[in-house]
Amino acid sequence: GGSTAYPRYMAGLSLSNATVNGSQFDLSGMGVGGDVNLSQSTVVNGISTTNFVEASVYGNVDLSRANVSDGISNNSFYRAVVGSNLDLSNADVSGGISNFAFSSVTVSGSIDLSGANVSGGISKYAFSSADVDGNIDLRGADVSGGITEFAFIAATIGNDLDLAGADLSRGGLQPGVFVGATVFGVL
């Protein structure tokens, strides 16, 4: 089967506690007036390619406590706009966050990865040129594979980037990760 066709605008989308096939989930170019709720969902085949490209979500994107197999990658949120927060707290993201996943994303609130298990690390321009008005929170996250390969190059973070208690095993925090980045709060 092909992608699931959604209308170009919707009030919100709740797939909480669902099993979602990432390769058939397409909100690219869509306007969502409320929240996109995928909390506690299982996302098979990862979040990739066109899932949220140039989408405008006026509320939150909630992937808290979600299980995302095959990671978040390949421009999946490229030039997307999130009007509030992007929540990946306590999510299990096997395969990591990489390959321009959140490149050029605009988030009016914060990105929460606190307590998340990101096996495979955060790498390969994952947040390049991202514009986040609030915090990026990685407190207590297990980022095996570390933060590497220009993950935050040219990103703008309006407040703090919090790594307190984060486990960056098997990769650490490599030099060059923040080349050209602007952090207005505490790093």
Side-chain angles (χ1 to χ4, degrees), residues 6 9-15 30-37 57:
Y6 295 101
Y9 180 83
M10 64 176 64
L13 178 65
S14 182
L15 295 170
M30 179 177 297
V32 180
D35 298 333
V36 173
N37 184 356
V57 179

Side-chain angles (χ1 to χ4, degrees), residues 10 27 44 47 52 61 81 83 98 118 131 133 158 161 177 186-187:
M10 64 176 64
L27 294 179
V44 296
I47 296 174
F52 287 91
V61 174
V81 175
S98 65
V118 184
D131 186 356
D133 288 348
L161 176 63
V177 166
V186 176
L187 174 62

Side-chain angles (χ1 to χ4, degrees), residues 93-107:
V93 183
S94 57
I97 299 172
S98 65
N99 296 330
F100 301 93
F102 294 99
S103 176
S104 300
V105 70
T106 299
V107 179

Side-chain angles (χ1 to χ4, degrees), residues 4-6 10 12-22 24-27 30 32 35-44 47 51-52 60-68:
T4 302
Y6 295 101
M10 64 176 64
L13 178 65
S14 182
L15 295 170
S16 180
N17 294 302
T19 298
V20 178
N21 186 337
Q24 295 180 348
F25 181 76
D26 182 10
L27 294 179
M30 179 177 297
V32 180
D35 298 333
V36 173
N37 184 356
L38 292 162
S39 66
Q40 300 182 36
S41 293
T42 299
V43 183
V44 296
I47 296 174
N51 294 129
F52 287 91
N60 297 298
V61 174
D62 187 353
L63 285 155
S64 61
R65 298 175 307 284
N67 181 345
V68 183

